[in-house]
């Protein structure tokens, strides 16, 4: 994956170095999120600290290689010098029944922004509206944003956002799956006089060209996540080139992954929106004794150190550990091949 080579400051460690410290854990969730109640992740420790490799199981090796590049950056290179030491974060409300919204929000304490999951498979728009209205009722002054994860088509998105706009939305994240659809949703909402900003998430991190959405004028802002983009430094490059406001978010990480998100948020020249980095609250437990969770609507920028006792307590079963280690071997091979190709191209120019 050439992006890794372009942004790297140290060579890719040998596979044996990664395997030597690799720990695979399975953490129980408080509520279902992305259809799962257990989050599996592989953690590695290097000279700069801990890194997290947790691409979702359905992701192919090429896409997962970005996640490994980010983990290696965290553990072997470390992060840029921060511009700020406290990062404002939003609460995250999964696609729960509206009656459970107060319970979910209570775990986050005081927050000024809330992201609400909508367009969940098997649910309808009435359930989405009830959930968003419950958030607004609980926090009348908070900035409310919705995230559809590409779950609507264009007509559904226009209808849904037209109705949800009455609640007051800060923005809508990835209402439809593709870039052309995002641009069309923006056009139709504008024609109807519906003022809802459109944020691109999957259309940034899952595209071969993460800048395509900006070139197409398909979004008002972008959501950036460290792991899917290949690391903090690569994400900073993408934000700079996109020229759009950015929201830093997580990929359902432990505190180790959240640490990388905080590093990105702390390094951006501007941080106009609260970040989606409070998701450790969705876990029953974390892998550190001092979790990176919100305090009065923000998280202090500090390191996350995995605790041996918690790593042991939540160790994944042997078959799942084997699955992750084999995946690590394959994905390391993808990164090694890409870096070798990049070095060859460099010497030939």
């Amino acid at each position: 994956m050439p992006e890794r080579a372009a942004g790297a400051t140290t060579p890719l460690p040998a596979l044996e170095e990664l395997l030597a410290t690799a720990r695979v854990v399975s953490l129980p969730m408080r509520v279902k999120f992305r259809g799962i109640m257990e989050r599996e992740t592989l953690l590695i420790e290097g000279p700069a600290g801990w890194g997290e490799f947790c691409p979702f199981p359905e992701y192919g090796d090429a896409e997962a290689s970005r996640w490994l590049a980010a983990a290696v950056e965290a553990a072997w290179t470390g992060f840029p010098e921060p511009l700020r030491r406290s990062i404002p974060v939003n609460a995250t409300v999964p696609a729960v029944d509206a009656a459970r919204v107060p319970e979910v929000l209570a775990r986050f304490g005081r927050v000024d922004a809330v992201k609400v999951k909508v367009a969940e498979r098997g649910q309808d728009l009435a359930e989405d509206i009830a959930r968003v209205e419950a958030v607004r009722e609980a926090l009348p002054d908070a900035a409310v944003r919705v995230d559809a994860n590409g779950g609507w088509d264009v007509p559904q998105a226009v209808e849904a956002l037209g109705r949800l706009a009455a609640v007051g939305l800060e923005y809508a994240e990835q209402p439809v799956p593709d870039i052309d659809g995002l641009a069309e949703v923006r056009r139709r909402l504008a024609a109807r006089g519906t003022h809802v900003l459109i944020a691109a998430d999957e259309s940034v991190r899952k595209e071969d060209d993460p800048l395509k959405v900006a070139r197409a004028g398909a979004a008002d802002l972008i959501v950036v996540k460290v792991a899917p983009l290949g690391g903090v430094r690569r994400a900073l490059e993408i934000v700079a080139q996109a020229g759009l406001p950015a929201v830093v978010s997580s990929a359902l990480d432990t505190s180790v992954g959240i640490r990388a998100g905080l590093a990105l948020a702390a390094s951006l020249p501007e941080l106009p929106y609260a970040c989606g980095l409070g998701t450790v609250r969705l876990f029953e437990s974390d892998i550190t004794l001092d979790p990176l969770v919100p305090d009065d609507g923000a998280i202090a920028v500090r390191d996350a150190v995995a605790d041996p006792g918690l790593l042991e307590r939540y160790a994944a079963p042997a078959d799942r550990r084997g699955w992750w280690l084999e995946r690590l071997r394959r994905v390391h091979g993808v990164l090694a091949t890409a870096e070798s190709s990049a070095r060859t191209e460099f010497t030939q120019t």
Side-chain angles (χ1 to χ4, degrees), residues 264-276:
L264 173 57
S267 301
L268 287 171
E270 298 180 354
L271 196 66
Y273 297 96
C275 298

Side-chain angles (χ1 to χ4, degrees), residues 3-349:
E3 293 97 332
R4 155 68 186 165
T9 57
T10 57
L12 177 68
L15 175 61
E16 291 72 21
E17 291 184 73
L18 303 186
L19 291 171
T21 64
R23 303 294 298 267
V24 181
V25 297
S26 180
L27 298 175
M29 307 288 299
R30 294 179 185 272
V31 292
K32 185 176 289 187
F33 194 89
R34 281 187 105 260
I36 62 174
M37 287 297 294
E38 296 276 338
R39 178 60 163 137
E40 293 181 343
T41 183
L42 185 151
L43 302 164
I44 55 175
E45 187 179 14
W50 286 86
E52 181 162 9
F53 175 60
C54 60
F56 293 100
E58 66 269 23
Y59 291 3
D61 291 349
E63 184 174 359
S65 68
R66 298 187 181 97
W67 299 62
L68 183 55
V72 168
E73 178 193 54
W76 264 260
T77 305
F79 303 120
E81 190 67 24
L83 301 177
R84 54 189 68 84
R85 292 288 180 177
S86 180
I87 306 302
V89 298
N90 63 253
T92 299
V93 175
V96 297
D97 185 88
R100 295 193 64 188
V101 165
E103 165 200 341
V104 173
L105 289 175
R107 301 190 190 111
F108 291 89
R110 191 199 70 78
V111 291
D112 296 320
V114 183
K115 179 163 78 171
V116 188
K117 291 290 185 176
V118 293
E120 181 86 352
R121 183 174 299 179
Q123 296 184 358
D124 58 28
L125 180 55
E127 291 171 281
D128 291 337
I129 293 172
R131 187 179 311 115
V132 174
E133 287 179 340
V135 170
R136 175 57 71 207
E137 181 178 354
L139 297 172
D141 298 323
V144 177
R145 52 189 75 162
V146 295
D147 181 7
N149 287 116
W152 291 317
D153 60 26
V154 170
Q156 289 172 333
V158 173
E159 178 190 1
L161 295 179
R163 295 179 63 180
L164 288 168
V167 182
L169 296 182
E170 185 179 33
Y171 61 78
E173 183 176 328
Q174 200 70 41
V176 296
D178 59 279
I179 291 174
D180 289 343
L182 289 177
E184 181 63 19
V185 168
R186 288 187 78 208
R187 285 193 291 269
R188 293 195 190 186
L189 289 175
R192 290 173 48 148
T194 301
H195 301 291
V196 176
L197 298 179
I198 300 300
D201 176 10
E202 285 86 348
S203 290
V204 175
R205 62 183 169 86
K206 294 181 76 68
E207 287 285 333
D208 291 335
D209 178 4
L211 297 174
K212 190 182 299 182
V213 69
R215 296 191 187 103
D220 299 286
L221 58 145
I222 58 174
V223 177
V224 287
K225 299 177 179 179
V226 170
L229 293 177
V232 171
R233 291 167 179 82
R234 176 57 178 157
L236 287 170
E237 292 173 4
I238 289 169
V239 173
Q241 293 172 38
L244 292 173
V247 181
V248 179
S249 190
S250 71
L252 201 56
D253 310 319
T254 71
S255 283
V256 169
I258 295 298
R259 172 66 181 97
L262 292 174
L264 173 57
S267 301
L268 287 171
E270 298 180 354
L271 196 66
Y273 297 96
C275 298
L277 297 172
T279 48
V280 169
R281 288 293 193 195
L282 300 176
F283 293 123
E284 289 283 359
S285 180
D286 193 16
I287 46 72
T288 175
L289 297 174
D290 189 16
L292 293 175
V293 294
D295 179 17
D296 199 27
I299 303 178
V301 178
R302 53 187 172 80
D303 289 337
V305 178
D307 174 69
L310 290 172
L311 291 175
E312 184 65 31
R313 178 179 178 183
Y314 293 104
D319 62 328
R320 296 305 301 162
R321 172 178 165 79
W323 186 91
W324 277 96
L325 293 181
E326 177 56 32
R327 189 185 201 189
L328 177 62
R329 293 184 180 95
R330 296 195 314 270
V331 174
H332 182 275
V334 173
L335 268 187
T337 299
E339 293 206 348
S340 176
S341 298
R343 284 193 296 271
T344 300
E345 291 175 9
F346 178 79
T347 57
Q348 291 176 347
T349 57

